[in-house]
């Protein structure tokens, strides 16, 4: 079995799994100084875009393509490549298709999609000037495209809105939901979908604190919230997107209103994947490989499911005990260190809350 991986930044997360399966690995990357280029069997440096990876896939006669792209802009090009390679060359590309990417890469279109399928989302309006605002403060101002908290502002007054419009001509304006932030991964392939356990990412703040700066826990345990509802809603969203790969969804839960609100969907590997793996034993990146080699199924996922208490803590630079090899595998570790120097995080798991607290004390 020969697989082509696109993008090297995330490749070390699954290199150990690729090798364990005896897969011949080929990787394309546009940056010749990128990390992890020493890990695959072959590496091809190609120009930005998907034409280079497509040509490598055809030249090397690969069995499938697994994009490892963690940012939004290239996803639509990946989707078009997927349609071409699958339709004309019968080479599976384990990624979202054009419709799914178009619906999820623009927050305004995502809002319309939620309304169409009957999923609750915070009240919103599209503003072309501050004078058009009718929602009560505080509100959240966003651009249609962007990720990682970019171009998002929590506005508490009309002055904040006016300040936002000094930089932007239009805004998606959404009511501010006070409550719990929740993420969940859904895996989908060939019309089968499975929602993994939800992750608690902390409380919403008027300061707009980024999730990377919060301590997160799994499984999600928020008073009043039924995790089955989160999983059911996430499944419904993925089923209606009807595509392949990883879907990471963000929700808010308002205790005041006892209401779950859908916020956005990402059709790519995401920042909560370590915590999801620690919590339930299912590694979404490894499941992309399983989709490519014909070993993904709902029954296989069910057989892998485990139940742990887990947490992810931002630490800057890690100086604790070294994990076992492979260092990114929870199959041989009860903790994983990830992220670049200065912004590292530790994700740890244990069988009980007390055991988890004891482990964290040793690590940090």
């Amino acid at each position: 079995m020969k697989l082509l991986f696109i993008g090297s930044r995330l490749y070390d997360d699954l290199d150990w799994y690729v090798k364990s399966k005896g897969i011949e690995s080929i990787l394309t990357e546009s940056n010749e100084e990128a990390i992890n280029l020493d890990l695959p069997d072959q590496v091809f440096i190609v120009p930005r875009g998907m034409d280079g990876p497509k040509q490598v896939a055809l030249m090397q006669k690969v069995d499938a393509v697994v994009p490892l792209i963690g940012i939004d802009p290239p996803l639509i090009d990946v989707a078009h490549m997927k349609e071409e390679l699958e339709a004309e060359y019968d080479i599976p590309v384990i990624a979202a298709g054009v419709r799914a990417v178009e619906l999820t890469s623009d927050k305004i279109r995502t809002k319309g999609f939620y309304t169409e399928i009957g999923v609750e989302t915070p009240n919103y309006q599209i503003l072309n000037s501050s004078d058009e605002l009718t929602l009560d403060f505080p509100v959240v101002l966003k651009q249609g495209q962007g990720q990682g908290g970019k171009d998002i502002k929590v506005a508490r007054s009309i002055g904040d809105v006016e300040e936002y419009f000094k930089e932007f001509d239009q805004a998606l304006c959404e009511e501010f939901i006070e409550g719990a932030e929740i993420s969940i991964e859904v895996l989908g392939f060939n019309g089968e979908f499975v929602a993994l356990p939800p992750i608690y990412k902390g409380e919403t703040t008027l300061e707009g604190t980024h999730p990377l700066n919060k301590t997160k826990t799994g499984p999600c345990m928020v008073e009043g919230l039924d995790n089955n509802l989160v999983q059911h809603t996430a499944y419904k969203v993925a089923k209606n997107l009807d595509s392949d790969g990883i879907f990471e969804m963000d929700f808010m839960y308002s205790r005041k209103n006892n209401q779950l609100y859908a916020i956005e969907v990402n059709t790519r590997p995401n920042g909560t994947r370590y915590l999801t793996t620690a919590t339930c034993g299912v590694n979404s990146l490894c499941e992309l490989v399983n989709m490519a080699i014909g070993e993904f199924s709902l029954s296989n996922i069910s057989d892998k499911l485990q139940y742990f208490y887990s947490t992810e803590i931002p630490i800057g630079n890690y100086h604790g005990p070294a994990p076992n090899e492979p260092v990114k595998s929870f199959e041989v570790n009860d903790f994983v260190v990830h992220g670049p120097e200065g912004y590292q995080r530790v994700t740890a798991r244990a069988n009980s809350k007390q055991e988890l607290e004891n482990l964290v004390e040793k690590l940090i």
Side-chain angles (χ1 to χ4, degrees):
M1 180 68 72
K2 184 189 295 187
L3 299 184
L4 171 64
F5 297 90
I6 302 176
S8 68
R9 188 175 67 85
L10 306 183
Y11 184 76
D12 61 330
D13 280 7
L14 49 65
D15 177 66
W16 62 273
Y17 189 71
V18 172
K19 287 180 168 56
S20 75
K21 289 291 187 179
I23 295 167
E24 182 179 349
S25 56
I26 301 170
L27 186 142
T28 61
E29 172 59 56
S30 61
N31 178 8
E32 62 184 11
E33 297 181 358
I35 61 174
N36 302 324
L37 297 182
D38 58 324
L39 299 178
D41 295 314
Q42 294 187 71
V43 173
F44 291 85
I45 303 300
V46 298
R48 290 185 180 275
M50 291 302 124
D51 187 61
K54 181 183 71 174
Q55 296 304 322
V56 171
L58 297 175
M59 176 181 65
Q60 292 291 315
K61 299 180 180 179
V62 301
D63 296 291
V65 177
V66 182
L68 299 176
I69 296 173
I71 57 176
D72 290 339
L75 296 181
I76 190 63
D77 291 335
V78 172
H80 285 294
M81 179 189 65
K82 170 186 175 72
E83 292 195 351
E84 180 180 352
L85 285 180
E86 291 183 348
E88 298 183 18
Y89 302 98
D90 199 27
I91 299 176
V93 178
I94 314 303
V98 171
R99 174 179 172 272
V101 173
E102 288 180 342
L103 285 173
T104 59
S105 61
D106 186 311
K107 295 180 178 65
I108 296 172
R109 293 194 66 175
T110 305
K111 286 284 192 179
F113 171 67
Y114 286 148
T115 301
E116 179 184 324
I117 65 174
V119 169
E120 192 73 23
T121 189
N123 292 328
Y124 71 99
Q125 60 181 129
I126 309 303
L127 298 181
N128 294 298
S129 73
S130 59
D131 297 336
E132 297 176 355
L133 178 65
T134 59
L135 297 175
D136 294 331
F137 290 106
V139 295
V140 182
L141 302 173
K142 306 176 180 179
Q143 291 301 290
Q145 297 182 335
Q147 69 181 84
K150 185 177 183 294
D151 301 330
I152 294 179
K153 180 182 182 68
V154 179
R156 310 188 204 192
S157 68
I158 194 63
D160 289 339
V161 181
E162 291 170 347
E163 188 69 24
Y164 193 80
F165 272 93
K166 290 180 181 179
E167 186 175 356
F168 302 102
D169 296 325
Q170 189 182 73
L172 168 61
C173 181
E174 185 178 82
E175 68 173 320
F176 177 83
I177 303 297
E178 183 179 358
E181 298 184 45
I182 300 155
S183 280
I184 183 172
E185 286 185 289
V186 180
L187 302 174
F189 188 63
N190 282 344
E192 290 190 322
F193 301 90
V194 58
L196 300 177
I199 300 300
Y200 172 65
K201 299 200 298 184
E203 298 296 300
T204 58
T205 66
L206 288 173
E207 291 73 27
T209 305
H210 194 283
L212 289 181
N213 297 321
K214 297 180 180 180
T215 296
K216 299 185 278 290
T217 58
C220 177
M221 290 182 287
V222 174
E223 184 177 358
L225 175 64
D226 182 356
N227 282 347
N228 289 326
L229 172 63
V230 182
Q231 290 179 296
H232 174 77
T233 307
Y235 175 89
K236 180 178 181 179
V237 172
K239 186 74 172 177
N240 279 277
L241 287 172
D242 191 24
S243 197
D244 298 332
I246 300 170
F247 303 88
E248 189 252 356
M249 304 182 199
D250 292 334
F251 292 89
M252 302 285 192
Y253 174 67
S254 168
R255 297 175 180 84
K256 178 182 177 181
N257 301 331
N258 188 28
Q259 180 64 56
L260 182 71
Y261 296 96
I263 305 300
E264 64 179 65
V265 189
N266 298 307
T267 56
R268 52 174 168 75
N270 61 86
T272 58
R273 65 185 183 277
Y274 296 101
L275 199 48
T276 300
T277 305
T279 303
C280 71
V282 177
N283 184 317
S284 57
L285 290 188
C286 294
E287 291 306 319
L288 293 181
V289 174
N290 288 338
M291 294 174 193
I293 64 177
E295 294 186 9
F296 176 85
S297 69
L298 300 187
S299 61
N300 285 345
I301 293 292
S302 179
D303 290 342
K304 294 173 186 175
L305 283 175
Q306 303 173 69
Y307 301 93
F308 294 94
Y309 291 92
S310 63
T311 188
E312 184 172 299
I313 303 171
I315 56 169
N317 287 310
Y318 178 71
H319 301 290
N324 299 315
E325 294 285 347
V327 297
K328 293 295 187 73
S329 169
F330 278 103
E331 293 187 8
V332 293
N333 289 296
D334 51 15
F335 72 97
V336 164
V337 181
H338 50 99
E341 286 189 16
Y343 300 92
Q344 289 183 319
R345 300 184 295 281
V346 171
T347 301
R349 73 180 188 182
N351 290 314
S352 70
K353 290 183 180 180
Q354 186 59 57
E355 288 180 14
L356 183 60
E357 290 177 7
N358 294 340
L359 174 59
V360 168
E361 285 183 8
K362 294 179 183 178
L363 297 176
I364 64 173

